Amino acid sequence: MRDVTGGRELVMVSNRLPVDCVEAADGTKTWRTSPGGLVTAVEPIVEQLGCVWVGWEGSASTGGEPFEVASMRLIPVELSAREVDLYYEGFSNATLWPLYHDVIAPPEYHRDWWDSYVTVNERFAAQVAEVAATGAIVWVHDYQLQLVPAMLRKLRPDLTIAFFLHIPFPPRGLFAQLPWRREIIEGLLGADVLGFQRAADAETFRLTAEALTGCPVLGNHIALPARDSSPARAVLAQEFPISIDAEAFARTASEPEMQRRAREIRAELGNPAVVMLGVDRLDYTKGILHRFKAFSELLTDDELDPTDTVLVQVASPSRERVGAYMQLRNEVETAVGRINGEHGSVAHTPLVYLHQSFDREEMAALYLAADVLLVTPLRDGMNLVAKEYVACRTTDDGVLVLSEFAGAAEELGEATLVNPHDIEGLKSAIVRATTMPIAEQHRRMRAMRATVSSNDVSNWARSYLGAVSGAADAREAGRPAPTAAATIGEAYIPRKLEERLRRLAAAPQLIVATDFDGTLAPLVARPADARALPRAIRSLDILRDAAGVQVALLTGRSLEALHATGLDSAGWMVSGSHGLELNETAQQLIGESAPQKFMTPEQQELLESFTRRVWRVFKGEPGVRLEYKPFGIAVHTREVPDNAHAEELLAAARELGSRAGLIPLRGKQVCEFSVLSSDKGVTLRRIMERFPDAATVFLGDDVTDETAFAVLRQGDLGIKVGDGATRARERVGTPESAAAVLALLAELRTGVVVGSA
């Protein structure tokens, strides 16, 4: 598997190191592999590749010296007792865990917990930055370390950073509750590859990231723009369902010793007719109490024989200092006592409760001993126990009862799927499982074993680390990251904006207003060469003819210069010269609220004098173009080859205007002067006053459009086209994207599709 990483060093990063310390009576310490799901999943990968592993030892400490276990070099990270309390038991397990698991328990939000979470994530990032080899692949695991990718990228931009979330990613409405939601998203976007258990989790993350950061989603990628000294890049956010070493489990289960131990377990249970098994961490997300309730009612209803049926519940200790877990343990143990007290006897207890962990061999024996495995979490990222049971059933018998809300349900469709909240449905599934004909058991189990075998941990590692290695190859080769323009052309609409357009399109009355240059028409060196995009014009014409819709064009161009571009704006309201000119349609619709603009003799003389001065100063400057307007003049520097010199020329123009007593209106590579005062905001407000019940959409790209964005009300929509600070609430990248916005709005309003051709 070495080729999966391209020979690069692999650095694993997780909250806990993959080993537990065992201290002998004489004080000597040895280390054994932890029984957790992460370790079980990645152990075969680490055995083949070797790695550096950075993590916490599991108790409050000052850290410790690096040490080696098997093929791993382990780097302990220090956590104080206070940090264990705030970062781990607090923010990680009392804020993030319940929030990410659909608020089965209410999450708590405390600023000191968050501050500790940030501090510990910084410490992990610093430790990794110190030990990772140049160009290494760093694989960060799970919800406790979601800030590490961005922190590490700042410290070590040479690294390729991967992150895998082992638990579900919450729905957008739930994630929005988190006060630090943007910081979490930005932390994760520091990675090159983000892995999720389910396709739905990956999609939810992409949409959430787009909504909170404005970075567009391009397929399974999120496109991040260049910032500061960081180049533009794309983050792959995709599902990579985790799996197990199916062959190893099957091999263990086939050993005669394991089969003998399975028979012993059944004998120790009294050789009942039916053995059911539950294997979980003691966690409120696992649905243990729901399972017990269904089991108890089946015993009460005589659907199960309490003298010939046993449910073995393995509940591994978990987070025993967290209040919700202490309460759960009390409730579980109370339920165990009640069920056995009501249905047991001196010779037999129907519910065997084991609050302990077991090694892989004992678990394989338990899987072999169980006729039915009950996996009924209320929410689970994957649940490898379900896959382990299937892998161990080499005789193709046994029944898996599996919650619909476990990630494993997406792969193991032949299981008996249940909604654990539906106690009656869960009871029916248990009865069905205990009475399932052997032929049906064989059919279902063979199909599930084939799935688990083909999608085993090696396949998962090749898929996930292959994507990570591909990202490393692309960076080292200097290949540019995909952008909206490069990936899907220039007509991209963020999903968040799509949703807002759908709502606005249904408004009884609607005003659709837009700028011209840089919005309807791409910017060009010579303003006279500008032409509006045909798709944008067709869309506006369709909207103009739609019931309840008014179309307005607000431009800084004079009406004469606009007409020279060949634009046919019949039936639109058109405002030129920043509102100083109105076409006939605008005058008719706006009515008495439209001002009549005339220059006094003094203003006429000022304009002529200033125009002569500007012409005299700039007539010999290469690339400078002067645009004469009815009430002013504009100095364009778009064709000036040197950007610094262009800025100097615009500064000189502003100085001329200041001396003449004129206030400049600054735009993109243009400075405009007028002897009369108006702006697009004034004009748009008058239109909105004429149609007070209409919702308004305005698209613009320039500084001069900010006055129009400023007059929009709650419920209206401003869309900035291109880069730059803005009051607009939404943004698209290009005029082509603006045309796509108008086309979508036209389609939503009228049903007419306006293609890009």
Side-chain angles (χ1 to χ4, degrees):
M1 199 181 287
R2 174 66 59 181
D3 60 334
V4 175
T5 62
R8 302 175 182 89
E9 178 184 74
L10 177 63
V11 181
M12 303 286 282
V13 189
S14 62
N15 174 65
R16 285 286 302 274
L17 287 172
V19 293
D20 291 328
C21 181
V22 180
E23 188 168 349
D26 61 359
T28 59
K29 293 182 179 181
T30 57
W31 300 90
R32 67 182 179 193
T33 302
S34 301
L38 168 60
V39 178
T40 301
V42 303
E43 185 177 12
I45 305 167
V46 171
E47 285 179 355
Q48 294 184 53
L49 296 179
C51 74
V52 174
W53 196 313
V54 177
W56 171 45
E57 290 182 359
S59 61
S61 69
T62 57
E65 293 300 316
F67 59 98
E68 295 187 3
V69 174
S71 59
M72 300 180 291
R73 178 170 173 75
L74 305 179
I75 313 293
V77 174
E78 170 190 354
L79 285 186
S80 69
R82 177 173 172 78
E83 288 168 338
V84 173
D85 183 49
L86 300 181
Y87 146 77
Y88 180 66
E89 294 176 353
F91 195 78
S92 294
N93 293 322
T95 299
L96 293 177
W97 180 268
L99 179 68
Y100 281 38
H101 286 86
D102 288 359
V103 196
I104 294 168
E108 299 179 42
Y109 305 109
H110 301 290
R111 285 171 289 180
D112 55 344
W113 290 5
W114 165 253
D115 292 340
S116 183
Y117 186 82
V118 173
T119 298
V120 172
N121 273 248
E122 287 174 339
R123 188 175 306 142
F124 269 83
Q127 184 69 75
V128 175
E130 182 178 335
V131 302
T134 301
I137 288 175
V138 177
W139 189 357
V140 185
H141 290 270
D142 229 1
Y143 61 103
Q144 301 97 340
L145 302 175
Q146 293 177 96
L147 303 180
V148 167
M151 293 172 172
L152 185 57
R153 181 165 294 280
K154 289 182 181 179
L155 297 172
R156 290 287 303 276
D158 62 295
L159 300 174
T160 300
I161 304 169
F163 182 94
F164 192 86
L165 185 67
H166 292 261
I167 66 175
F169 189 81
R172 291 171 63 187
L174 293 183
F175 188 74
Q177 296 178 16
L178 185 65
W180 306 279
R181 57 196 182 187
R182 186 180 180 93
E183 290 88 337
I184 292 291
I185 293 296
E186 290 178 342
L188 291 170
L189 290 177
D192 297 287
V193 176
L194 291 168
F196 299 87
Q197 300 281 27
R198 304 185 310 152
D201 293 333
E203 181 180 13
T204 299
F205 174 82
R206 293 191 296 264
L207 295 176
T208 302
E210 183 179 64
L212 290 178
T213 68
C215 297
V217 173
L218 311 171
N220 287 340
H221 288 81
I222 301 163
L224 275 62
R227 290 174 180 167
D228 302 326
S229 59
S230 301
R233 60 190 186 87
V235 177
L236 175 63
Q238 183 177 312
E239 70 281 4
F240 295 93
I242 198 169
S243 196
I244 62 170
D245 188 343
E247 183 179 348
F249 272 97
R251 190 167 53 246
T252 299
S254 298
E255 294 174 359
E257 177 63 22
M258 288 301 101
Q259 295 176 15
R260 182 192 63 77
R261 176 59 186 144
R263 291 192 294 272
E264 283 182 358
I265 291 172
R266 291 190 72 102
E268 291 167 2
L269 296 172
N271 284 317
V274 177
V275 175
M276 294 186 288
L277 175 66
V279 180
D280 309 271
R281 282 190 311 103
L282 188 58
D283 190 288
Y284 50 76
T285 66
K286 300 301 183 181
I288 297 173
L289 289 172
H290 294 66
R291 190 181 310 160
F292 284 2
K293 182 175 179 60
F295 181 63
S296 176
E297 291 185 8
L298 287 171
L299 294 174
T300 300
D301 297 341
D302 293 327
E303 294 286 348
L304 294 177
D305 182 354
T307 66
D308 215 16
T309 303
V310 176
L311 169 58
V312 178
Q313 177 62 58
V314 177
S316 304
S318 177
R319 301 165 189 161
E320 296 189 295
R321 292 177 54 189
V322 178
Y325 290 80
M326 290 188 286
Q327 179 182 345
L328 175 66
R329 180 174 179 179
N330 290 334
E331 292 175 352
V332 166
E333 293 178 353
T334 297
V336 171
R338 179 183 57 78
I339 292 170
N340 284 332
E342 292 178 356
H343 303 286
S345 65
V346 173
H348 180 76
T349 53
L351 177 50
V352 176
Y353 174 68
L354 303 171
H355 184 54
Q356 53 191 284
S357 300
F358 296 99
D359 60 24
R360 177 180 294 186
E361 287 71 23
E362 187 68 4
M363 286 308 310
L366 282 166
Y367 292 144
L368 288 174
D371 303 295
V372 178
L373 180 72
L374 302 177
V375 180
T376 59
L378 308 179
R379 188 85 158 89
D380 215 340
M382 177 53 65
N383 197 293
L384 296 180
V385 166
K387 294 187 175 184
E388 291 172 2
Y389 178 73
V390 168
C392 287
R393 303 302 296 191
T394 55
T395 54
D396 289 337
D397 59 347
V399 181
L400 172 62
V401 176
L402 180 60
S403 168
E404 299 169 355
F405 307 119
E410 293 194 355
E411 298 178 76
L412 304 179
E414 293 82 7
T416 301
L417 299 179
V418 295
N419 174 1
H421 298 279
D422 176 8
I423 300 300
E424 286 298 325
L426 181 53
K427 289 163 61 178
S428 297
I430 292 173
V431 172
R432 176 89 168 84
T434 59
T435 59
M436 185 177 291
I438 191 67
E440 184 179 354
Q441 291 183 35
H442 285 172
R443 177 183 61 78
R444 288 172 178 258
M445 190 59 69
R446 275 196 296 268
M448 289 190 288
R449 278 172 44 76
T451 297
V452 172
S453 296
S454 61
N455 296 325
D456 67 354
V457 70
S458 295
N459 183 69
W460 174 66
R462 282 193 297 270
S463 175
Y464 183 78
L465 290 177
V468 177
S469 184
D473 291 343
R475 191 192 70 253
E476 292 171 3
R479 294 199 295 271
T483 63
T487 307
I488 54 173
E490 299 277 354
Y492 176 74
I493 306 175
R495 285 176 174 82
K496 180 183 174 185
L497 176 54
E498 274 193 35
E499 293 170 4
R500 298 199 66 189
L501 290 170
R502 290 181 189 282
R503 291 194 293 271
L504 277 170
Q509 295 188 51
L510 182 64
I511 298 168
V512 181
T514 176
D515 176 42
F516 183 78
D517 291 287
T519 302
L520 292 187
L523 293 174
V524 293
R526 288 168 41 88
D529 295 336
R531 296 294 183 270
L533 295 170
R535 189 183 192 191
I537 302 308
R538 289 198 301 274
S539 301
L540 287 172
D541 282 340
I542 290 169
L543 288 165
R544 173 200 61 199
D545 296 333
V549 180
Q550 307 297 329
V551 171
L553 176 60
L554 313 180
T555 177
R557 285 177 178 258
S558 67
L559 293 183
E560 181 180 356
L562 184 67
H563 180 72
T565 68
L567 178 69
D568 182 1
S569 56
W572 305 0
M573 290 180 281
V574 181
S575 161
S577 300
H578 300 286
L580 295 175
E581 296 182 281
L582 298 176
N583 73 347
E584 184 177 347
T585 301
Q587 292 182 38
Q588 291 173 351
L589 289 176
I590 298 177
E592 295 180 358
S593 62
Q596 298 299 314
K597 298 296 183 181
F598 300 101
M599 288 187 289
T600 65
E602 292 78 14
Q603 290 170 331
Q604 180 73 42
E605 182 179 348
L606 174 60
L607 176 58
E608 291 174 356
S609 172
F610 181 69
T611 299
R612 287 194 300 271
R613 191 173 302 116
V614 169
W615 178 81
R616 192 174 296 120
V617 169
F618 292 105
K619 66 177 180 179
E621 287 290 345
V624 173
R625 292 188 175 275
L626 303 181
E627 181 184 1
Y628 300 98
K629 298 190 173 186
F631 306 101
I633 187 172
V635 180
H636 293 271
T637 61
R638 198 164 291 146
E639 292 184 84
V640 176
D642 182 80
N643 289 336
H645 185 49
E647 286 299 317
E648 292 174 349
L649 293 172
L650 291 176
R654 290 194 295 273
E655 178 65 22
L656 287 177
S658 176
R659 292 183 181 183
L662 298 176
I663 299 175
L665 186 62
R666 180 72 186 271
K668 290 181 179 178
Q669 297 176 294
V670 62
C671 195
E672 185 170 343
F673 304 88
S674 176
V675 296
L676 296 179
S677 177
S678 187
D679 58 52
K680 295 178 184 178
V682 171
T683 304
L684 183 57
R685 181 185 289 112
R686 290 188 176 116
I687 295 172
M688 293 163 63
E689 289 170 350
R690 172 66 178 81
F691 303 97
D693 296 327
T696 301
V697 180
F698 177 73
L699 298 88
D701 75 304
D702 209 343
V703 176
T704 60
D705 297 309
E706 292 301 313
T707 57
F709 290 135
V711 304
L712 296 176
R713 307 151 301 191
Q714 186 71 27
D716 294 334
L717 176 59
I719 304 172
K720 170 81 170 183
V721 181
D723 298 327
T726 183
R727 291 187 174 98
R729 296 181 62 183
E730 301 292 344
R731 187 189 301 269
V732 295
T734 62
E736 287 79 6
S737 295
V741 166
L742 295 172
L744 177 59
L745 196 55
E747 180 181 350
L748 293 170
R749 186 75 181 192
T750 68
V752 178
V753 177
V754 185
S756 57

